[in-house]
Amino acid sequence: MKLHTKHSFILASESPRRKEIFSRLNIPFGVQPANIDEKVEGSYTPEDLAIKIANLKAIAIAEINPDAVVIGADTTVRIGKLLLSKPTNKEEAKQFLKLLSGRVHNVITGVSIRGAGISLAFAESTLVKFYELSDEQIDAYVESGDSLDKAGGYGIQTMSGLFVEKIQGDYNNVVGLPISRLFQTLLQLQLIEISKGVN
């Protein structure tokens, strides 16, 4: 299946994981991190918070690229009533993983689409259950340095995927971008089209 678009796309993210996932659409796009302050005042549901930050990222880049379609995204992890973003240091990463050990948590990614007269956002949620983790497993993973740039302190696509007992929902959403839902949304908005024929 080939896709085509008349629009210029920009992914407002510095995440190599989001870049890799978005590239599966096989349409031209640029990458331009928003570098915004992600601290948001007020009380939000996890879904609304992820959408709020995704919107801030997309708006910041759309304002300086008015002719482009900008995609912003933000991922957070909810365990009980707690929201876990990116850990600030190794000790916090270990605390996050101890919280997740043996329990079900919710990975939520907000996605914002801005440009070409479009202003739309949605949130996708995936349930993830971890095995019981030993201190040895947690310490070894955190010492690898992999946990510090990832919401919840882990990346399902790396070695910490070995901690996952099961998931319910979109795997790519846990990695950082629910590409299937984004694909369907871009089709519905007619921002991308499926090429006809066999060329």
Side-chain angles (χ1 to χ4, degrees):
M1 179 172 65
K2 291 185 177 181
L3 304 174
H4 71 271
T5 179
K6 298 176 182 177
H7 302 280
S8 172
F9 278 83
I10 296 175
L11 183 62
S13 174
E14 61 185 354
S15 166
R17 299 170 295 279
R18 290 194 181 115
K19 180 181 178 182
E20 188 278 326
I21 294 172
F22 192 80
S23 69
R24 295 176 200 168
L25 295 176
N26 200 27
I27 59 174
F29 72 100
V31 173
Q32 196 169 337
N35 297 319
I36 63 163
D37 182 358
E38 297 185 17
K39 294 180 180 178
V40 176
E41 299 290 335
S43 178
Y44 295 89
T45 66
E47 291 78 9
D48 286 346
L49 180 62
I51 287 173
K52 174 73 172 177
I53 298 174
N55 277 334
L56 290 174
K57 292 177 180 179
I59 290 169
I61 300 305
E63 285 178 347
I64 56 177
N65 296 276
D67 296 326
V69 175
V70 179
I71 309 296
D74 186 73
T75 301
T76 190
V77 171
R78 181 181 67 193
I79 178 82
K81 294 183 178 180
L82 295 176
L83 292 182
L84 310 182
S85 55
K86 297 174 183 176
T88 56
N89 53 52
K90 289 182 177 180
E91 285 307 311
E92 189 171 47
K94 291 177 183 179
Q95 291 172 13
F96 285 1
L97 292 170
K98 287 178 181 179
L99 279 172
L100 299 177
S101 175
R103 299 175 66 189
V104 174
H105 60 275
N106 199 0
V107 180
I108 301 149
T109 298
V111 178
S112 177
I113 304 167
R114 297 277 174 157
I118 304 294
S119 175
L120 183 147
F122 63 84
E124 185 73 17
S125 297
T126 303
L127 293 177
V128 181
K129 185 181 180 184
F130 269 20
Y131 287 102
E132 292 282 351
L133 305 179
S134 67
D135 288 344
E136 181 182 24
Q137 291 174 47
I138 291 172
D139 291 348
Y141 174 64
V142 171
E143 287 305 316
S144 75
D146 187 61
S147 60
L148 294 182
D149 67 335
K150 297 172 179 67
Y154 78 96
I156 195 170
Q157 74 284 0
T158 63
M159 285 294 288
S160 59
L162 301 175
F163 300 162
V164 175
E165 181 176 349
K166 59 184 176 181
I167 74 169
Q168 181 180 335
D170 183 354
Y171 170 88
N172 289 309
N173 185 56
V174 184
V175 180
L177 190 67
I179 191 65
S180 298
R181 184 169 175 186
L182 178 57
F183 165 66
Q184 296 294 338
T185 302
L186 294 176
L187 279 177
Q188 291 168 9
L189 295 172
Q190 299 182 329
L191 294 174
I192 60 173
E193 295 178 351
I194 297 174
S195 298
K196 294 181 173 61
V198 293
N199 294 333

